[in-house]
Amino acid sequence: MLTDYHIHLQPDGPEARAENASRWQEHGGHLSEGWIGTYVARARSRGVAEIAFTEHVHRFSHAREWHPNPWWQGEATEDVDLYCQSLAAARVAGAPILIGVEMDWLPHRVDEIRAFLADRPFDIVLGSVHWLADHAVDHPEYLAWDSLDAEEVWERYLDELVAAAQSGLFDVLAHIDLPKVFGHVPPASARDRWPQVIAQIAQTGVAIECSTAGLRKPVGEMYPQTDLLAQCAAAGIPVTLASDAHRPEDVAADYPTAVSVLQGAGYTHLTRFMQRVPSAHLIAEWG
Ligand SMILES: [Zn+2]
Ligand SMILES: [Zn+2]
C-alpha cells in the first residue's frame, strides 16, 4: 500500500481557482464528498490506498493576521473547522483520507500555531518554510531572490528549516530543498551545510517527505534531490511519499519514479500517520 500525504483541494490564488471552479462546483463544492472522491479515485487508479489532504494554513481566515503579505491575507477566506468536518464526514462515508494541514513555519507565530493545531483533529501536520520574513521562497511575486543573493537565501532558509524541525510543531518537513524550485543552483555554502542540517533534523525525530512536485516545476527534479534523500536515509530520518497535488490529476504523480528513487536512496520503510502518531511500514509490503 502506497500513500500520498500532501494534497490540496484547490489550486493557489484566486485566478486559478476561478478558472477551475466549475470542476468542484459540479460536485457541490470543493469540500463535497464528490470532489474529495475524485482525488480518492485517482489515488486508487495509481495503486495508492490512503491520502492526506493538507490544505495551506494561509487559506484559513483563522490565520489571516499571521502574515502581513497582501497575497497571504487575500487567500485567507476559508473556515478551517468546516474543512476538518467535511474531511471527517467523507472519511465516515468510506474515503481513505487523513485530515491534515500544510502549516507555514512562522517563527513569530509559534503560540498561534500551537493553539491552532491543538484545537483540531489533525492526523498529520506538514511544516513548510515558504517565507523568510517578508520574502517568499517560492511565490513569484515576492521572491527572496529579487533582493537577497543566493548565499543569503539558502543560509536563511536552512536556519528556518532547522528551527522548524526543532520547534516540535510538525510531523513532516515538506519539500526540504524548496529554494531550488525555479532552478537556482544551490551555492557551495549551502551544499557544505547540508550534512549538519540533516544531523540536526535527525535529532528531532521529525519526518521528511519524498515529493514529486519538483518534477512539475522549473527545476525538474524531486524534493529533496537524490543525494540529500540518501543522506536523510542514512541519518535515520523517517520519510513519507507526497505529490503536493493541487488538482486530482496530480495525485500520486510520478510515483514509479518516486518509489525507485526512495529505494535507491536506501529507504526500506514509509511512515504512516493517524491522529499524529507515526508508524513505520515496509515499502516492499506496499509495492
Ligand atoms: Zn509548500
Ligand atoms: Zn503543498
Side-chain angles (χ1 to χ4, degrees), residues 128-250:
S128 296
V129 180
H130 296 125
W131 295 91
L132 306 173
D134 294 342
H135 304 291
V137 177
D138 65 338
H139 192 301
E141 286 172 39
Y142 306 99
L143 270 188
W145 299 101
D146 295 342
S147 50
L148 307 175
D149 63 31
E151 276 77 14
E152 194 169 3
V153 170
W154 277 95
E155 186 74 15
R156 288 176 60 174
Y157 175 83
L158 293 175
D159 287 346
E160 297 300 346
L161 185 70
V162 170
Q166 293 175 340
S167 74
L169 291 166
F170 310 117
D171 303 316
V172 184
L173 295 179
H175 43 57
I176 63 168
D177 56 349
L178 180 64
K180 72 182 181 184
V181 56
F182 296 117
H184 298 89
V185 178
S189 59
R191 295 199 301 274
D192 292 347
R193 207 179 145 188
W194 270 111
Q196 183 200 2
V197 167
I198 287 169
Q200 288 171 306
I201 292 172
Q203 280 172 358
T204 69
V206 72
I208 60 150
E209 64 176 20
C210 174
S211 168
T212 62
L215 295 171
R216 308 190 300 275
K217 296 287 164 57
V219 67
E221 63 179 42
M222 303 202 10
Y223 303 116
Q225 65 186 57
T226 51
D227 60 320
L228 293 181
L229 190 67
Q231 289 178 45
C232 290
I237 299 175
V239 72
T240 63
L241 259 181
S243 68
D244 207 347
H246 286 64
R247 53 182 192 154
E249 296 90 316
D250 290 333

Side-chain angles (χ1 to χ4, degrees), residues 1 3 5 50 240 270-274 277-281 286:
M1 190 181 93
T3 56
Y5 275 177
E50 183 175 79
T240 63
L270 285 177
T271 309
R272 284 181 84 182
F273 284 90
M274 188 57 65
V277 178
S279 56
H281 299 260
W286 294 10

Side-chain angles (χ1 to χ4, degrees), residues 5-25:
Y5 275 177
H6 188 153
I7 293 177
H8 301 271
L9 283 162
Q10 295 175 302
D12 294 329
E15 299 84 6
R17 284 196 295 280
E19 248 172 60
N20 288 279
S22 62
R23 299 192 63 195
W24 50 81
Q25 278 164 0

Side-chain angles (χ1 to χ4, degrees), residues 99-121:
I99 304 171
V101 64
E102 181 174 6
M103 177 61 71
D104 281 76
W105 167 243
L106 300 171
H108 57 299
R109 296 294 184 190
V110 166
D111 292 344
E112 290 93 332
I113 292 170
R114 189 169 286 118
F116 182 96
L117 298 176
D119 288 348
R120 297 186 170 84

